[in-house]
Amino acid sequence: MSRSIYDIDPAGNVITTYTGTDSEEETLRSEKTEVPLAKAILYAFLPAGYPHTVTSDYLAYQTYDSLQAFASSITSLLANRAVLEGLGVGDSSSSPTGALILKITGDTISRIATILFAHRMGQAIEPECKFYRFLADIFNDSAQFLDLLTPALPYFPKLGVIVSAGVLRSLCGVAANASKASLSAHFALTGNLAELNAKEASQETVVSLLGMLVGTLVVRMVEDKQMVWMLMVLLAGAHLLMNYRAVRSVEMRSLNRQRATIVFREWLDHGTILTPAQAAQRESILYRGRGNLASKTGEYTGFCSFGTYGDIKGWNPRGYHRYEFEAQGYFLGVWHRGGNFYMRIAVKEGTIRPLSAWFDAVNHAYHFDSALKDGLQSHYENEMPLGYVSEEQKQSIFAALTAAGWDLDQNAVETMLPIRVRVGDGKKGVPLLEKEPAHLVLLREAKHD
């Protein structure tokens, strides 16, 4: 009986075709599939099994990322030439020792800045990777514009500019490398993170080489200072635009504070669940900062963040109404004055999903219009808050979110070191509150200061 057997790659493409019969006497014939040269070269720069081994937004991101890297390569050459001029290259009157001191001082302070920035912002980069990926290039372009100033400055102002540019590059390095790692983890679908990073390095190598070749011609042709500045502005604008388009094309599956607010508000307004692609269209990269909340009508606006139990108990600004609530998994502090409010969440030890606390904060802010007509106590009817969503309802909502493609196992709503509140005698493993109901319970209403 004759039959055909095929070797296929992860994308389903046929590599080799085998034809023959089950008879051992007949020779098995094999035929390799011919791959056009252009397609073979393209495959060398794409992850194996593309497009099935990466997310659907991978190609758009990599295309824009390559274009921005090309522009950045040219601006880097223009900036580096200015730095060399500023350090005295080609000037016989310049001191090599002075140039070395400038270089050492800039490198030393920039490395200290790297440590401090990584310590302070490292926890926030993964949840907000799109924001920090774009911010990294703002830092980089700002440093390059400072570089252009170095040839025209005297020694000490030049030192300040070189140090500032070095610090900005350090911040760029931390933000770019960390956010790229998070984005790569998002793109990799089949445990191919290492191979995906290797192919990205190949892409960057080719783009950088092309940028250097074009940049070499530009550097030789453009000597006039005014033309250099005009060219830098144009290239930096193109660089930032391409980078913005790149991060805008990414459809993250984790719910950080901004995406969670967008998704939860859509459910509160219309009872529908947004997909990651739909939420990405509404997400802001630089504006509508993370943590911003508003009531249904927009009459009340405010901010919510995570903190400690001491933050809730200790902060008592003048002129604010202050309220405290306790739920099974967290404490919530609310400060209100006029049309503004501020919320702080302290998560209890053992809480698996802080996203649930954020849902309640969004829901609480959503009903501020009704809640504050007669004071916040009117938010409650029979010890149940207005618009209260039970734990069973929330589990149904979270199940719908998972079905829509969201990854709820990743804690992306906390952007600082996660602090937990232990309730009990201080020993690990003590139950939170044995008789605590699932719904929010009003503890007390504070008076005006």
Side-chain angles (χ1 to χ4, degrees):
M1 177 180 179
S2 179
R3 61 176 178 171
S4 298
I5 299 176
Y6 308 92
D7 287 334
I8 61 173
D9 64 14
N13 299 313
V14 176
I15 301 174
T16 308
T17 302
Y18 303 94
T19 56
T21 64
D22 293 333
S23 173
E24 296 182 0
E25 289 78 14
E26 184 172 343
T27 303
L28 185 68
R29 296 185 300 275
S30 63
E31 180 182 359
K32 289 190 175 182
T33 302
E34 292 293 333
V35 179
L37 180 60
K39 197 172 185 180
I41 294 175
L42 182 63
Y43 282 167
F45 296 96
L46 292 173
Y50 174 86
H52 304 289
T53 55
V54 293
T55 57
S56 59
D57 51 356
Y58 173 80
L59 183 60
Y61 174 82
Q62 290 301 134
T63 301
Y64 289 121
D65 189 59
S66 297
L67 292 173
Q68 66 89 19
F70 178 79
S72 182
S73 298
I74 302 175
T75 57
S76 294
L77 290 179
L78 293 171
N80 288 337
R81 182 177 66 178
V83 171
L84 293 174
E85 292 176 2
L87 292 176
V89 175
D91 187 356
S92 59
S93 64
S94 298
S95 168
T97 303
L100 182 62
I101 292 174
L102 285 173
K103 183 67 174 174
I104 292 175
T105 303
D107 287 349
T108 300
I109 296 179
S110 66
R111 293 181 186 188
I112 294 174
T114 298
I115 297 171
L116 294 177
F117 184 74
H119 169 70
R120 182 67 180 85
M121 304 305 298
Q123 189 77 27
I125 293 177
E126 183 169 3
E128 307 292 345
C129 61
K130 296 171 70 172
F131 167 77
Y132 282 98
R133 180 65 191 91
F134 185 63
L135 184 65
D137 283 291
I138 294 178
F139 287 149
N140 182 68
D141 289 351
S142 300
Q144 291 178 348
F145 279 108
L146 288 177
D147 289 338
L148 294 183
L149 297 174
T150 54
L153 297 175
Y155 187 82
F156 286 106
K158 184 184 300 183
L159 176 62
V161 167
I162 289 177
V163 168
S164 300
V167 169
L168 288 171
R169 282 197 177 86
S170 298
L171 303 186
C172 169
V174 174
N177 291 333
S179 57
K180 279 186 176 181
S182 182
L183 289 171
S184 296
H186 160 74
F187 293 134
L189 288 180
T190 58
N192 58 334
L193 179 58
E195 194 254 349
L196 187 145
N197 283 330
K199 291 298 178 64
E200 183 178 1
S202 298
Q203 297 167 14
E204 291 181 353
T205 299
V206 172
V207 172
S208 297
L209 285 173
L210 292 174
M212 288 176 62
L213 291 174
V214 176
T216 301
L217 297 176
V218 171
V219 169
R220 290 182 63 86
M221 295 173 60
V222 181
E223 296 283 349
D224 181 70
K225 301 298 181 184
Q226 186 175 359
M227 286 297 297
V228 169
W229 276 93
M230 291 177 61
L231 188 59
M232 280 288 293
V233 170
L234 291 174
L235 288 172
H239 174 232
L240 292 178
L241 176 61
M242 292 300 102
N243 191 273
Y244 179 79
R245 294 292 299 271
V247 294
R248 284 291 299 172
S249 66
V250 177
E251 302 168 0
M252 297 298 293
R253 298 184 299 276
S254 61
L255 282 169
N256 63 5
R257 288 182 293 177
Q258 183 183 179
R259 289 190 289 272
T261 302
I262 293 171
V263 171
F264 294 157
R265 278 296 301 258
E266 179 68 18
W267 183 85
L268 291 169
D269 284 329
H270 306 292
T272 57
I273 298 294
L274 295 177
T275 64
Q278 292 170 328
Q281 297 300 315
R282 304 187 186 187
E283 187 179 9
S284 173
I285 304 301
L286 288 177
Y287 304 105
R288 272 188 13 226
R290 289 125 288 275
N292 289 5
L293 302 179
S295 63
K296 181 178 182 179
T297 63
E299 182 179 352
Y300 297 93
T301 58
F303 187 82
C304 183
S305 63
F306 289 85
T308 67
Y309 185 68
D311 293 332
I312 295 176
K313 302 295 290 187
W315 192 53
N316 196 16
R318 289 185 61 84
Y320 276 79
H321 289 287
R322 177 171 172 266
Y323 310 93
E324 292 178 25
F325 304 95
E326 183 175 358
Q328 186 174 9
Y330 62 90
F331 296 92
L332 175 66
V334 182
W335 295 264
H336 162 252
R337 183 176 67 180
N340 301 313
F341 63 84
Y342 179 70
M343 295 183 182
R344 193 85 170 193
I345 300 170
V347 181
K348 293 181 181 178
E349 183 183 29
T351 300
I352 299 175
R353 189 170 283 169
L355 185 64
S356 178
W358 190 262
F359 176 90
D360 288 341
V362 174
N363 191 24
H364 195 99
Y366 183 81
H367 291 94
F368 246 58
D369 300 287
S370 303
L372 292 175
K373 287 180 179 178
D374 303 312
L376 198 60
Q377 66 272 16
S378 68
H379 203 169
Y380 284 78
E381 298 175 0
N382 301 321
E383 296 185 335
M384 298 276 291
L386 183 65
Y388 170 70
V389 177
S390 68
E391 290 299 319
E392 291 75 14
Q393 287 176 300
K394 277 197 286 188
Q395 292 307 315
S396 298
I397 294 170
F398 290 158
L401 289 172
T402 301
W406 293 103
D407 179 11
L408 304 187
D409 294 329
Q410 185 177 350
N411 177 18
V413 292
E414 294 180 276
T415 56
M416 301 296 290
L417 180 68
I419 302 296
R420 296 295 180 260
V421 182
R422 181 173 295 169
V423 181
D425 60 5
K427 295 180 180 179
K428 189 174 182 180
V430 175
L432 297 179
L433 284 176
E434 294 181 0
K435 297 183 180 180
E436 180 69 54
H439 61 269
L440 295 174
V441 179
L442 178 62
L443 293 181
R444 67 180 175 85
E445 177 184 352
K447 299 180 180 180
H448 279 292
D449 288 338

